[in-house]
């Protein structure tokens, strides 16, 4: 079963594909103007694709954290690497301090 993060990414990817279709359609329709006249669509597609991937990574991280916390009821059962990371996060100074 795909995660919610993947479903959201697929939905956002459809939007990117629509931008690509629009770009190709406009390129055919206005072939005399060249690709530079459509650079705004290229930038929009790239920005939306990057932001979609960022949301995907954040969502997967959140889903993973939820999965782990539902399965482990005692901190002693966490993997050593996770304990070290948590320790570093809580003992290092906050960037806001």
């Amino acid at each position: 079963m795909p995660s919610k993060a993947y479903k959201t990414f697929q939905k956002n990817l459809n939007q990117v594909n629509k931008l690509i279709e629009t770009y190709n359609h406009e390129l055919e329709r206005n072939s005399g103007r060249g690709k530079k006249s459509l650079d705004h669509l290229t930038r929009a597609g790239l920005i939306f694709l990057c932001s979609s991937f960022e949301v995907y990574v954040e969502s997967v991280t959140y889903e993973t954290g939820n999965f782990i916390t539902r399965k482990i009821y005692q901190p002693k059962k966490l993997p050593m690497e996770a304990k070290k990371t948590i320790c570093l996060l809580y003992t290092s100074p906050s960037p806001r301090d």
Side-chain angles (χ1 to χ4, degrees), residues 3-37:
S3 67
K4 287 174 67 177
Y6 183 71
K7 289 177 184 176
T8 302
F9 181 71
Q10 285 297 107
K11 181 180 168 188
N12 288 338
L13 197 57
N14 287 335
Q15 296 297 317
V16 172
N17 288 330
K18 286 181 183 179
L19 281 170
I20 291 170
E21 288 175 20
T22 302
Y23 176 88
N24 289 331
H25 175 73
E26 289 298 316
L27 190 60
E28 288 174 13
R29 198 177 82 157
N30 298 317
S31 60
R33 295 181 65 195
K35 291 182 179 181
K36 286 188 177 184
S37 66

Side-chain angles (χ1 to χ4, degrees), residues 43-72:
R43 285 194 304 267
L46 284 171
I47 290 169
F48 196 76
L49 181 61
C50 291
S51 67
S52 297
F53 187 69
E54 179 183 10
V55 168
Y56 172 72
V57 170
E58 290 171 354
S59 297
V60 165
T61 304
Y62 180 78
E63 288 177 14
T64 303
N66 279 340
F67 179 80
I68 290 170
T69 55
R70 279 190 310 238
K71 298 291 180 186
I72 296 178

Side-chain angles (χ1 to χ4, degrees), residues 92-97:
S92 63
S94 172
R96 291 177 272 167
D97 289 343

